[in-house]
Amino acid sequence: QVRLVESGGGSVQAGGSMRLSCAASGYRDSIYCMAWFRQAPGKEREGVASINIGGDSTVYADSVKGRFTVSQDNAKNTLYLQMNSLKPEDTGMYYCAAHWRSCGWRLPFSYDIDNWGQGTQVTVSS
């Protein structure tokens, strides 16, 4: 079983920065791709960024390109999401996700995900 625990959410003003972390534990060898999703109230959960484990290939949603950076620290079994130039529309619950196959060159869909974290709230005020 894989356990994912997010941290680092909170409130920030527009234009600010925030870094989210996701600690993975359990049977990590099954994970080939990790991703960040977010869900705003009344909206569907959407993929934000993904990274293939052990590689450098990353994919971003158009809405966050140039502002967000996903990275991994394999020694710490931790995934990060650095968010800069935050906008009010970035507000939502952010989820860490693990996929047991390579994500390839596209963001995973929700139905691709094998393990979810509990989520961390990000609120950006104008």
Side-chain angles (χ1 to χ4, degrees):
Q1 191 59 276
V2 173
R3 184 168 182 248
L4 305 174
V5 179
E6 302 96 334
S7 60
S11 298
V12 67
Q13 288 192 329
S17 298
M18 186 179 292
R19 188 175 83 159
L20 305 182
S21 300
C22 171
S25 61
Y27 191 56
R28 297 181 306 274
D29 288 349
S30 59
I31 302 173
Y32 282 80
C33 171
M34 293 196 72
W36 289 97
F37 283 73
R38 68 185 179 190
Q39 187 167 20
K43 294 189 176 181
E44 292 186 358
R45 193 171 296 189
E46 62 173 356
V48 174
S50 65
I51 184 168
N52 283 310
I53 300 301
D56 294 329
S57 58
T58 57
V59 183
Y60 296 93
D62 288 344
S63 58
V64 306
K65 279 180 183 176
R67 301 187 298 122
F68 289 13
T69 303
V70 61
S71 61
Q72 57 186 327
D73 184 333
N74 290 328
K76 295 182 179 180
N77 299 315
T78 302
L79 180 75
Y80 302 101
L81 184 68
Q82 177 66 42
M83 305 184 292
N84 299 328
S85 302
L86 282 160
K87 304 175 181 180
E89 51 263 44
D90 294 318
T91 295
M93 187 70 78
Y94 281 69
Y95 297 90
C96 177
H99 184 31
W100 293 8
R101 294 185 177 183
S102 171
C103 288
W105 294 102
R106 66 165 178 84
L107 283 170
F109 296 105
S110 294
Y111 57 74
D112 291 322
I113 299 304
D114 298 285
N115 304 100
W116 292 98
Q118 82 288 352
T120 185
Q121 178 68 37
V122 172
T123 302
V124 184
S125 59
S126 56

